[in-house]
Amino acid sequence: MTKRAITVVEGNDRGVPEDENRAQRVERLVAFGRALSDPIRVRMVGMMAEAAASGRGCCGLPDLGVPAGEGDVGICVCEFQDRFVTGQSKVSYHMRKLKDAGLVREEKRGKWSFYSLDHEAVREVLGDTAEQLGTDVGSVANG
């Protein structure tokens, strides 16, 4: 009996290797999907988008020692805790998922963390999504 070796062909389903840039964009889309797979994270993103659109910064809880001044941007953990009635560790978990997807920026001020949307990264991932789906973002939005 003759032994035959089994070989594995790497690449996409057509046997043509993906270029590295395209593979990275696909991975970013997967991270984007995972980040938005939880309703709380979707609502957190909405809170940050709303705050940015209104020009509103921090929660303004100086009685808790939150170091927020005029013109500071971002939402502090305490605001997410209050809105979702959850602890700091759960908020941090959700924020880590959003940061891993590259959607959120974190700014440390003392022991406090403030989060805001990375609008440029959001635009890029939405553009990559449209490209992956073979459509124009404008045509989808205008419908």
Side-chain angles (χ1 to χ4, degrees):
M1 186 183 315
T2 308
K3 287 187 175 182
R4 292 176 39 194
I6 297 175
T7 59
V8 176
V9 177
E10 292 186 33
N12 63 20
D13 59 346
R14 289 182 265 142
V16 178
E18 287 186 306
D19 69 34
E20 196 170 317
N21 187 31
R22 183 172 174 84
Q24 288 173 345
R25 288 193 334 242
V26 168
E27 286 303 314
R28 187 166 57 181
L29 291 178
V30 170
F32 178 71
R34 285 184 184 136
L36 296 181
S37 68
D38 185 281
I40 289 176
R41 289 193 290 271
V42 171
R43 291 197 299 265
M44 287 175 160
V45 167
M47 281 178 67
M48 289 180 281
E50 203 175 280
S54 69
R56 185 184 67 74
C58 179
C59 60
L61 295 174
D63 55 322
L64 295 178
V66 178
E70 188 67 33
D72 285 340
V73 295
I75 296 177
C76 68
V77 171
C78 61
E79 200 165 353
F80 291 117
Q81 286 177 263
D82 187 47
R83 171 74 64 92
F84 299 107
V85 191
T86 190
Q88 179 271 328
S89 62
K90 193 62 144 175
V91 170
S92 294
Y93 167 80
H94 287 302
M95 283 298 131
R96 185 172 54 252
K97 295 288 187 184
L98 293 169
K99 282 180 8 183
D100 288 349
L103 302 175
V104 173
R105 287 189 213 136
E106 177 181 17
E107 179 187 342
K108 296 264 190 189
R109 296 181 211 146
K111 67 178 183 172
W112 297 86
S113 292
F114 294 80
Y115 298 95
S116 60
L117 281 182
D118 184 337
H119 293 283
E120 182 63 31
V122 170
R123 274 191 286 281
E124 285 179 22
V125 77
L126 290 175
D128 288 348
T129 302
E131 184 180 314
Q132 187 69 26
L133 296 174
T135 188
D136 177 25
V137 175
S139 68
V140 172
N142 297 323

